[in-house]
Amino acid sequence: MSPVTTAAPPLRAELEALMRQLKMPHARALAPELIATARAQRWEPTEVIKALFTEEAAGRPRSMLATRRKAAGFPTGKTFDAWDPAASSIPAPTQQALRTLEWITRRENLVVCGPSGTGKTFFLEALGQQAVEAGMRVAWFRLEDLGALIRAHRTDESVTKAVARILRAELVVIDDIGLLPVATDAAEGLYRVVDAASEKRSVAISSNLHPAGFDELMPKTLATATVDRLLHHAHVCQTSGDSIRLTQALAGKGVTQLN
């Protein structure tokens, strides 16, 4: 016969109210069980206080990390835990240098360009996740998101304020440039973010094209101004080779790719 477990009695209303007022959600969640344990094991009052404060001190960084991660808007949740440095065409020393995140603290930019499926988005997302874990704020966008932002705020002329809100993040990532022609609104959004971030925040982009070819995708005037600001104090990594996604998918089906 399995033992019957008794739920710990709830906190007294006045104590719960005080912990809410003091913004101690982690200690408050633990308190009923902890108090019941302390009573049963005859803990010293100081042990109870220490355990509650320890839980609150440990819980706050976890909550802040979760909040920053959610606010970033990462597409998949990939981190360097699943990254294979040897599978990437980005030189290993370059990968290591970028993973220090010192380029973000120096407010430098990063461009990762190359064929589809060569790990550009994965690498940028893993860098973004690492930045979040280091206490930085990250904002993740697709190019069409910037176009939508420009359209939404142009009617009341609040575009500048919207861009300023984006730049509360230390790192702004703009993913997947170059797959399709860039609409004028999206080109303007890209320019506005890159221009406003210049030497104040870091911008990282992934693109199928080197930025020198952006004038093939968007109006030349906007392309020239954007690239001029983007490549000032920037690291440019060019990926190459076959699509990692395609190679892995074929390998999973037992198919060998022919060259």
PDB file of all heavy atoms in Angstrom, residues 210-245:
ATOM      1  N   HIS A 210      26.535  38.506 -49.907  1.00  0.00           N
ATOM      2  CA  HIS A 210      27.430  39.443 -49.233  1.00  0.00           C
ATOM      3  C   HIS A 210      26.771  40.819 -49.285  1.00  0.00           C
ATOM      4  O   HIS A 210      26.093  41.158 -50.270  1.00  0.00           O
ATOM      5  CB  HIS A 210      28.783  39.467 -49.947  1.00  0.00           C
ATOM      6  CG  HIS A 210      29.823  40.274 -49.230  1.00  0.00           C
ATOM      7  ND1 HIS A 210      29.859  41.654 -49.268  1.00  0.00           N
ATOM      8  CD2 HIS A 210      30.863  39.878 -48.446  1.00  0.00           C
ATOM      9  CE1 HIS A 210      30.878  42.089 -48.547  1.00  0.00           C
ATOM     10  NE2 HIS A 210      31.497  41.033 -48.024  1.00  0.00           N
ATOM     11  N   PRO A 211      26.923  41.635 -48.252  1.00  0.00           N
ATOM     12  CA  PRO A 211      26.282  42.963 -48.282  1.00  0.00           C
ATOM     13  C   PRO A 211      26.619  43.798 -49.515  1.00  0.00           C
ATOM     14  O   PRO A 211      25.819  44.653 -49.907  1.00  0.00           O
ATOM     15  CB  PRO A 211      26.821  43.623 -46.999  1.00  0.00           C
ATOM     16  CG  PRO A 211      27.047  42.470 -46.072  1.00  0.00           C
ATOM     17  CD  PRO A 211      27.547  41.352 -46.947  1.00  0.00           C
ATOM     18  N   ALA A 212      27.753  43.533 -50.139  1.00  0.00           N
ATOM     19  CA  ALA A 212      28.095  44.276 -51.352  1.00  0.00           C
ATOM     20  C   ALA A 212      27.069  44.057 -52.456  1.00  0.00           C
ATOM     21  O   ALA A 212      26.958  44.869 -53.383  1.00  0.00           O
ATOM     22  CB  ALA A 212      29.475  43.858 -51.851  1.00  0.00           C
ATOM     23  N   GLY A 213      26.286  42.969 -52.345  1.00  0.00           N
ATOM     24  CA  GLY A 213      25.267  42.686 -53.344  1.00  0.00           C
ATOM     25  C   GLY A 213      23.871  43.113 -52.954  1.00  0.00           C
ATOM     26  O   GLY A 213      22.900  42.783 -53.653  1.00  0.00           O
ATOM     27  N   PHE A 214      23.728  43.857 -51.859  1.00  0.00           N
ATOM     28  CA  PHE A 214      22.390  44.254 -51.402  1.00  0.00           C
ATOM     29  C   PHE A 214      21.668  45.150 -52.406  1.00  0.00           C
ATOM     30  O   PHE A 214      20.439  45.223 -52.398  1.00  0.00           O
ATOM     31  CB  PHE A 214      22.468  44.960 -50.051  1.00  0.00           C
ATOM     32  CG  PHE A 214      22.584  44.023 -48.879  1.00  0.00           C
ATOM     33  CD1 PHE A 214      22.767  42.660 -49.050  1.00  0.00           C
ATOM     34  CD2 PHE A 214      22.500  44.515 -47.572  1.00  0.00           C
ATOM     35  CE1 PHE A 214      22.879  41.798 -47.974  1.00  0.00           C
ATOM     36  CE2 PHE A 214      22.608  43.658 -46.484  1.00  0.00           C
ATOM     37  CZ  PHE A 214      22.797  42.298 -46.687  1.00  0.00           C
ATOM     38  N   ASP A 215      22.423  45.847 -53.260  1.00  0.00           N
ATOM     39  CA  ASP A 215      21.757  46.705 -54.240  1.00  0.00           C
ATOM     40  C   ASP A 215      21.036  45.891 -55.307  1.00  0.00           C
ATOM     41  O   ASP A 215      20.285  46.453 -56.113  1.00  0.00           O
ATOM     42  CB  ASP A 215      22.730  47.697 -54.873  1.00  0.00           C
ATOM     43  CG  ASP A 215      23.909  47.027 -55.549  1.00  0.00           C
ATOM     44  OD1 ASP A 215      23.979  45.774 -55.548  1.00  0.00           O
ATOM     45  OD2 ASP A 215      24.764  47.749 -56.086  1.00  0.00           O
ATOM     46  N   GLU A 216      21.227  44.568 -55.298  1.00  0.00           N
ATOM     47  CA  GLU A 216      20.441  43.705 -56.176  1.00  0.00           C
ATOM     48  C   GLU A 216      19.060  43.428 -55.591  1.00  0.00           C
ATOM     49  O   GLU A 216      18.163  42.952 -56.286  1.00  0.00           O
ATOM     50  CB  GLU A 216      21.164  42.365 -56.396  1.00  0.00           C
ATOM     51  CG  GLU A 216      22.541  42.481 -57.032  1.00  0.00           C
ATOM     52  CD  GLU A 216      23.259  41.145 -57.071  1.00  0.00           C
ATOM     53  OE1 GLU A 216      22.570  40.101 -56.990  1.00  0.00           O
ATOM     54  OE2 GLU A 216      24.501  41.142 -57.170  1.00  0.00           O
ATOM     55  N   LEU A 217      18.902  43.692 -54.294  1.00  0.00           N
ATOM     56  CA  LEU A 217      17.673  43.330 -53.584  1.00  0.00           C
ATOM     57  C   LEU A 217      16.801  44.518 -53.235  1.00  0.00           C
ATOM     58  O   LEU A 217      15.594  44.377 -53.059  1.00  0.00           O
ATOM     59  CB  LEU A 217      18.019  42.597 -52.275  1.00  0.00           C
ATOM     60  CG  LEU A 217      18.861  41.340 -52.363  1.00  0.00           C
ATOM     61  CD1 LEU A 217      19.298  40.925 -50.968  1.00  0.00           C
ATOM     62  CD2 LEU A 217      18.076  40.229 -53.029  1.00  0.00           C
ATOM     63  N   MET A 218      17.429  45.686 -53.090  1.00  0.00           N
ATOM     64  CA  MET A 218      16.696  46.853 -52.586  1.00  0.00           C
ATOM     65  C   MET A 218      17.156  48.098 -53.322  1.00  0.00           C
ATOM     66  O   MET A 218      18.176  48.061 -54.029  1.00  0.00           O
ATOM     67  CB  MET A 218      16.927  46.992 -51.075  1.00  0.00           C
ATOM     68  CG  MET A 218      18.361  47.245 -50.667  1.00  0.00           C
ATOM     69  SD  MET A 218      18.602  47.327 -48.860  1.00  0.00           S
ATOM     70  CE  MET A 218      18.487  45.586 -48.414  1.00  0.00           C
ATOM     71  N   PRO A 219      16.422  49.190 -53.195  1.00  0.00           N
ATOM     72  CA  PRO A 219      16.839  50.422 -53.866  1.00  0.00           C
ATOM     73  C   PRO A 219      18.296  50.763 -53.570  1.00  0.00           C
ATOM     74  O   PRO A 219      18.744  50.667 -52.418  1.00  0.00           O
ATOM     75  CB  PRO A 219      15.884  51.477 -53.282  1.00  0.00           C
ATOM     76  CG  PRO A 219      14.667  50.695 -52.915  1.00  0.00           C
ATOM     77  CD  PRO A 219      15.169  49.365 -52.446  1.00  0.00           C
ATOM     78  N   LYS A 220      19.018  51.151 -54.611  1.00  0.00           N
ATOM     79  CA  LYS A 220      20.468  51.321 -54.482  1.00  0.00           C
ATOM     80  C   LYS A 220      20.846  52.352 -53.421  1.00  0.00           C
ATOM     81  O   LYS A 220      21.802  52.159 -52.669  1.00  0.00           O
ATOM     82  CB  LYS A 220      21.060  51.716 -55.833  1.00  0.00           C
ATOM     83  CG  LYS A 220      22.584  51.732 -55.824  1.00  0.00           C
ATOM     84  CD  LYS A 220      23.163  51.860 -57.212  1.00  0.00           C
ATOM     85  CE  LYS A 220      24.685  51.792 -57.158  1.00  0.00           C
ATOM     86  NZ  LYS A 220      25.280  51.857 -58.513  1.00  0.00           N
ATOM     87  N   THR A 221      20.103  53.445 -53.352  1.00  0.00           N
ATOM     88  CA  THR A 221      20.437  54.489 -52.370  1.00  0.00           C
ATOM     89  C   THR A 221      20.357  53.937 -50.948  1.00  0.00           C
ATOM     90  O   THR A 221      21.264  54.152 -50.131  1.00  0.00           O
ATOM     91  CB  THR A 221      19.486  55.690 -52.517  1.00  0.00           C
ATOM     92  OG1 THR A 221      19.572  56.187 -53.843  1.00  0.00           O
ATOM     93  CG2 THR A 221      19.857  56.782 -51.535  1.00  0.00           C
ATOM     94  N   LEU A 222      19.270  53.225 -50.632  1.00  0.00           N
ATOM     95  CA  LEU A 222      19.127  52.636 -49.302  1.00  0.00           C
ATOM     96  C   LEU A 222      20.176  51.556 -49.073  1.00  0.00           C
ATOM     97  O   LEU A 222      20.738  51.453 -47.979  1.00  0.00           O
ATOM     98  CB  LEU A 222      17.726  52.043 -49.134  1.00  0.00           C
ATOM     99  CG  LEU A 222      16.610  52.990 -48.717  1.00  0.00           C
ATOM    100  CD1 LEU A 222      15.272  52.264 -48.705  1.00  0.00           C
ATOM    101  CD2 LEU A 222      16.892  53.597 -47.342  1.00  0.00           C
ATOM    102  N   ALA A 223      20.443  50.750 -50.092  1.00  0.00           N
ATOM    103  CA  ALA A 223      21.428  49.680 -49.952  1.00  0.00           C
ATOM    104  C   ALA A 223      22.804  50.244 -49.638  1.00  0.00           C
ATOM    105  O   ALA A 223      23.501  49.766 -48.734  1.00  0.00           O
ATOM    106  CB  ALA A 223      21.477  48.839 -51.227  1.00  0.00           C
ATOM    107  N   THR A 224      23.203  51.277 -50.367  1.00  0.00           N
ATOM    108  CA  THR A 224      24.531  51.873 -50.165  1.00  0.00           C
ATOM    109  C   THR A 224      24.666  52.450 -48.762  1.00  0.00           C
ATOM    110  O   THR A 224      25.669  52.225 -48.070  1.00  0.00           O
ATOM    111  CB  THR A 224      24.778  52.981 -51.211  1.00  0.00           C
ATOM    112  OG1 THR A 224      24.706  52.407 -52.520  1.00  0.00           O
ATOM    113  CG2 THR A 224      26.153  53.610 -51.014  1.00  0.00           C
ATOM    114  N   ALA A 225      23.647  53.190 -48.330  1.00  0.00           N
ATOM    115  CA  ALA A 225      23.698  53.800 -46.994  1.00  0.00           C
ATOM    116  C   ALA A 225      23.698  52.733 -45.901  1.00  0.00           C
ATOM    117  O   ALA A 225      24.418  52.855 -44.894  1.00  0.00           O
ATOM    118  CB  ALA A 225      22.507  54.736 -46.813  1.00  0.00           C
ATOM    119  N   THR A 226      22.896  51.687 -46.084  1.00  0.00           N
ATOM    120  CA  THR A 226      22.819  50.617 -45.083  1.00  0.00           C
ATOM    121  C   THR A 226      24.137  49.885 -44.966  1.00  0.00           C
ATOM    122  O   THR A 226      24.662  49.670 -43.861  1.00  0.00           O
ATOM    123  CB  THR A 226      21.705  49.617 -45.455  1.00  0.00           C
ATOM    124  OG1 THR A 226      20.455  50.295 -45.511  1.00  0.00           O
ATOM    125  CG2 THR A 226      21.631  48.490 -44.436  1.00  0.00           C
ATOM    126  N   VAL A 227      24.710  49.493 -46.107  1.00  0.00           N
ATOM    127  CA  VAL A 227      25.953  48.713 -46.101  1.00  0.00           C
ATOM    128  C   VAL A 227      27.109  49.535 -45.548  1.00  0.00           C
ATOM    129  O   VAL A 227      27.965  49.017 -44.814  1.00  0.00           O
ATOM    130  CB  VAL A 227      26.257  48.196 -47.526  1.00  0.00           C
ATOM    131  CG1 VAL A 227      27.650  47.567 -47.592  1.00  0.00           C
ATOM    132  CG2 VAL A 227      25.194  47.190 -47.951  1.00  0.00           C
ATOM    133  N   ASP A 228      27.127  50.825 -45.877  1.00  0.00           N
ATOM    134  CA  ASP A 228      28.190  51.698 -45.368  1.00  0.00           C
ATOM    135  C   ASP A 228      28.211  51.698 -43.844  1.00  0.00           C
ATOM    136  O   ASP A 228      29.271  51.584 -43.217  1.00  0.00           O
ATOM    137  CB  ASP A 228      27.972  53.119 -45.894  1.00  0.00           C
ATOM    138  CG  ASP A 228      28.995  54.096 -45.341  1.00  0.00           C
ATOM    139  OD1 ASP A 228      30.192  53.938 -45.665  1.00  0.00           O
ATOM    140  OD2 ASP A 228      28.613  55.010 -44.578  1.00  0.00           O
ATOM    141  N   ARG A 229      27.052  51.781 -43.230  1.00  0.00           N
ATOM    142  CA  ARG A 229      26.973  51.807 -41.764  1.00  0.00           C
ATOM    143  C   ARG A 229      27.150  50.408 -41.164  1.00  0.00           C
ATOM    144  O   ARG A 229      27.757  50.252 -40.116  1.00  0.00           O
ATOM    145  CB  ARG A 229      25.618  52.400 -41.337  1.00  0.00           C
ATOM    146  CG  ARG A 229      25.519  53.896 -41.600  1.00  0.00           C
ATOM    147  CD  ARG A 229      24.081  54.373 -41.697  1.00  0.00           C
ATOM    148  NE  ARG A 229      23.977  55.809 -41.873  1.00  0.00           N
ATOM    149  CZ  ARG A 229      24.190  56.446 -43.017  1.00  0.00           C
ATOM    150  NH1 ARG A 229      24.552  55.767 -44.095  1.00  0.00           N
ATOM    151  NH2 ARG A 229      24.067  57.759 -43.088  1.00  0.00           N
ATOM    152  N   LEU A 230      26.607  49.400 -41.858  1.00  0.00           N
ATOM    153  CA  LEU A 230      26.681  48.036 -41.341  1.00  0.00           C
ATOM    154  C   LEU A 230      28.118  47.527 -41.282  1.00  0.00           C
ATOM    155  O   LEU A 230      28.526  46.887 -40.303  1.00  0.00           O
ATOM    156  CB  LEU A 230      25.844  47.108 -42.230  1.00  0.00           C
ATOM    157  CG  LEU A 230      25.823  45.624 -41.861  1.00  0.00           C
ATOM    158  CD1 LEU A 230      25.115  45.411 -40.522  1.00  0.00           C
ATOM    159  CD2 LEU A 230      25.131  44.823 -42.959  1.00  0.00           C
ATOM    160  N   LEU A 231      28.899  47.800 -42.318  1.00  0.00           N
ATOM    161  CA  LEU A 231      30.255  47.241 -42.401  1.00  0.00           C
ATOM    162  C   LEU A 231      31.300  48.074 -41.672  1.00  0.00           C
ATOM    163  O   LEU A 231      32.462  47.674 -41.602  1.00  0.00           O
ATOM    164  CB  LEU A 231      30.657  47.060 -43.866  1.00  0.00           C
ATOM    165  CG  LEU A 231      29.831  46.037 -44.649  1.00  0.00           C
ATOM    166  CD1 LEU A 231      30.411  45.837 -46.045  1.00  0.00           C
ATOM    167  CD2 LEU A 231      29.740  44.704 -43.914  1.00  0.00           C
ATOM    168  N   HIS A 232      30.887  49.208 -41.138  1.00  0.00           N
ATOM    169  CA  HIS A 232      31.817  49.996 -40.325  1.00  0.00           C
ATOM    170  C   HIS A 232      31.987  49.293 -38.975  1.00  0.00           C
ATOM    171  O   HIS A 232      31.015  49.090 -38.245  1.00  0.00           O
ATOM    172  CB  HIS A 232      31.254  51.404 -40.118  1.00  0.00           C
ATOM    173  CG  HIS A 232      32.179  52.333 -39.403  1.00  0.00           C
ATOM    174  ND1 HIS A 232      33.435  52.651 -39.880  1.00  0.00           N
ATOM    175  CD2 HIS A 232      32.039  53.011 -38.236  1.00  0.00           C
ATOM    176  CE1 HIS A 232      34.024  53.486 -39.047  1.00  0.00           C
ATOM    177  NE2 HIS A 232      33.200  53.719 -38.033  1.00  0.00           N
ATOM    178  N   HIS A 233      33.198  48.876 -38.651  1.00  0.00           N
ATOM    179  CA  HIS A 233      33.464  48.094 -37.443  1.00  0.00           C
ATOM    180  C   HIS A 233      32.650  46.796 -37.449  1.00  0.00           C
ATOM    181  O   HIS A 233      31.875  46.529 -36.521  1.00  0.00           O
ATOM    182  CB  HIS A 233      33.142  48.886 -36.168  1.00  0.00           C
ATOM    183  CG  HIS A 233      33.964  50.138 -36.009  1.00  0.00           C
ATOM    184  ND1 HIS A 233      35.315  50.170 -36.179  1.00  0.00           N
ATOM    185  CD2 HIS A 233      33.591  51.407 -35.697  1.00  0.00           C
ATOM    186  CE1 HIS A 233      35.767  51.407 -35.968  1.00  0.00           C
ATOM    187  NE2 HIS A 233      34.745  52.178 -35.698  1.00  0.00           N
ATOM    188  N   ALA A 234      32.798  46.007 -38.494  1.00  0.00           N
ATOM    189  CA  ALA A 234      32.015  44.768 -38.612  1.00  0.00           C
ATOM    190  C   ALA A 234      32.915  43.562 -38.840  1.00  0.00           C
ATOM    191  O   ALA A 234      34.017  43.669 -39.395  1.00  0.00           O
ATOM    192  CB  ALA A 234      31.016  44.879 -39.760  1.00  0.00           C
ATOM    193  N   HIS A 235      32.421  42.410 -38.398  1.00  0.00           N
ATOM    194  CA  HIS A 235      33.053  41.125 -38.685  1.00  0.00           C
ATOM    195  C   HIS A 235      32.205  40.460 -39.773  1.00  0.00           C
ATOM    196  O   HIS A 235      30.981  40.373 -39.629  1.00  0.00           O
ATOM    197  CB  HIS A 235      33.069  40.237 -37.443  1.00  0.00           C
ATOM    198  CG  HIS A 235      33.726  40.879 -36.262  1.00  0.00           C
ATOM    199  ND1 HIS A 235      35.057  40.720 -35.969  1.00  0.00           N
ATOM    200  CD2 HIS A 235      33.230  41.720 -35.305  1.00  0.00           C
ATOM    201  CE1 HIS A 235      35.366  41.404 -34.885  1.00  0.00           C
ATOM    202  NE2 HIS A 235      34.268  42.030 -34.461  1.00  0.00           N
ATOM    203  N   VAL A 236      32.844  40.009 -40.832  1.00  0.00           N
ATOM    204  CA  VAL A 236      32.131  39.358 -41.934  1.00  0.00           C
ATOM    205  C   VAL A 236      32.604  37.912 -42.033  1.00  0.00           C
ATOM    206  O   VAL A 236      33.787  37.650 -42.215  1.00  0.00           O
ATOM    207  CB  VAL A 236      32.360  40.084 -43.269  1.00  0.00           C
ATOM    208  CG1 VAL A 236      31.613  39.368 -44.401  1.00  0.00           C
ATOM    209  CG2 VAL A 236      31.914  41.542 -43.184  1.00  0.00           C
ATOM    210  N   CYS A 237      31.664  36.982 -41.860  1.00  0.00           N
ATOM    211  CA  CYS A 237      31.965  35.546 -41.967  1.00  0.00           C
ATOM    212  C   CYS A 237      31.213  34.997 -43.176  1.00  0.00           C
ATOM    213  O   CYS A 237      29.990  35.172 -43.262  1.00  0.00           O
ATOM    214  CB  CYS A 237      31.510  34.788 -40.712  1.00  0.00           C
ATOM    215  SG  CYS A 237      32.252  35.370 -39.187  1.00  0.00           S
ATOM    216  N   GLN A 238      31.919  34.351 -44.064  1.00  0.00           N
ATOM    217  CA  GLN A 238      31.279  33.761 -45.239  1.00  0.00           C
ATOM    218  C   GLN A 238      31.267  32.240 -45.094  1.00  0.00           C
ATOM    219  O   GLN A 238      32.322  31.609 -44.960  1.00  0.00           O
ATOM    220  CB  GLN A 238      32.001  34.173 -46.518  1.00  0.00           C
ATOM    221  CG  GLN A 238      31.823  35.654 -46.829  1.00  0.00           C
ATOM    222  CD  GLN A 238      32.306  36.011 -48.220  1.00  0.00           C
ATOM    223  OE1 GLN A 238      33.464  36.386 -48.404  1.00  0.00           O
ATOM    224  NE2 GLN A 238      31.412  35.922 -49.195  1.00  0.00           N
ATOM    225  N   THR A 239      30.074  31.671 -45.099  1.00  0.00           N
ATOM    226  CA  THR A 239      29.939  30.221 -45.025  1.00  0.00           C
ATOM    227  C   THR A 239      29.965  29.644 -46.436  1.00  0.00           C
ATOM    228  O   THR A 239      29.706  30.337 -47.414  1.00  0.00           O
ATOM    229  CB  THR A 239      28.635  29.816 -44.328  1.00  0.00           C
ATOM    230  OG1 THR A 239      27.530  30.336 -45.080  1.00  0.00           O
ATOM    231  CG2 THR A 239      28.595  30.364 -42.904  1.00  0.00           C
ATOM    232  N   SER A 240      30.273  28.357 -46.522  1.00  0.00           N
ATOM    233  CA  SER A 240      30.360  27.717 -47.826  1.00  0.00           C
ATOM    234  C   SER A 240      30.018  26.242 -47.681  1.00  0.00           C
ATOM    235  O   SER A 240      29.803  25.742 -46.577  1.00  0.00           O
ATOM    236  CB  SER A 240      31.769  27.878 -48.413  1.00  0.00           C
ATOM    237  OG  SER A 240      32.730  27.284 -47.536  1.00  0.00           O
ATOM    238  N   GLY A 241      29.961  25.554 -48.824  1.00  0.00           N
ATOM    239  CA  GLY A 241      29.726  24.120 -48.806  1.00  0.00           C
ATOM    240  C   GLY A 241      28.282  23.756 -49.051  1.00  0.00           C
ATOM    241  O   GLY A 241      27.432  24.608 -49.331  1.00  0.00           O
ATOM    242  N   ASP A 242      28.011  22.453 -48.945  1.00  0.00           N
ATOM    243  CA  ASP A 242      26.660  21.947 -49.154  1.00  0.00           C
ATOM    244  C   ASP A 242      25.774  22.304 -47.966  1.00  0.00           C
ATOM    245  O   ASP A 242      26.256  22.586 -46.867  1.00  0.00           O
ATOM    246  CB  ASP A 242      26.669  20.424 -49.332  1.00  0.00           C
ATOM    247  CG  ASP A 242      27.443  19.997 -50.573  1.00  0.00           C
ATOM    248  OD1 ASP A 242      27.388  20.746 -51.579  1.00  0.00           O
ATOM    249  OD2 ASP A 242      28.093  18.944 -50.538  1.00  0.00           O
ATOM    250  N   SER A 243      24.490  22.262 -48.180  1.00  0.00           N
ATOM    251  CA  SER A 243      23.531  22.515 -47.120  1.00  0.00           C
ATOM    252  C   SER A 243      23.664  21.450 -46.032  1.00  0.00           C
ATOM    253  O   SER A 243      23.542  20.258 -46.299  1.00  0.00           O
ATOM    254  CB  SER A 243      22.109  22.501 -47.685  1.00  0.00           C
ATOM    255  OG  SER A 243      21.161  22.449 -46.641  1.00  0.00           O
ATOM    256  N   ILE A 244      23.918  21.906 -44.806  1.00  0.00           N
ATOM    257  CA  ILE A 244      24.015  20.977 -43.678  1.00  0.00           C
ATOM    258  C   ILE A 244      22.670  20.310 -43.444  1.00  0.00           C
ATOM    259  O   ILE A 244      22.590  19.112 -43.182  1.00  0.00           O
ATOM    260  CB  ILE A 244      24.490  21.726 -42.412  1.00  0.00           C
ATOM    261  CG1 ILE A 244      25.895  22.300 -42.629  1.00  0.00           C
ATOM    262  CG2 ILE A 244      24.479  20.793 -41.202  1.00  0.00           C
ATOM    263  CD1 ILE A 244      26.355  23.211 -41.506  1.00  0.00           C
ATOM    264  N   ARG A 245      21.595  21.091 -43.552  1.00  0.00           N
ATOM    265  CA  ARG A 245      20.254  20.520 -43.352  1.00  0.00           C
ATOM    266  C   ARG A 245      19.974  19.413 -44.357  1.00  0.00           C
ATOM    267  O   ARG A 245      19.477  18.344 -43.996  1.00  0.00           O
ATOM    268  CB  ARG A 245      19.189  21.624 -43.481  1.00  0.00           C
ATOM    269  CG  ARG A 245      19.095  22.563 -42.302  1.00  0.00           C
ATOM    270  CD  ARG A 245      17.823  23.377 -42.380  1.00  0.00           C
ATOM    271  NE  ARG A 245      17.802  24.228 -43.556  1.00  0.00           N
ATOM    272  CZ  ARG A 245      18.220  25.497 -43.566  1.00  0.00           C
ATOM    273  NH1 ARG A 245      18.685  26.037 -42.451  1.00  0.00           N
ATOM    274  NH2 ARG A 245      18.158  26.228 -44.652  1.00  0.00           N
TER     275      ARG A 245
END
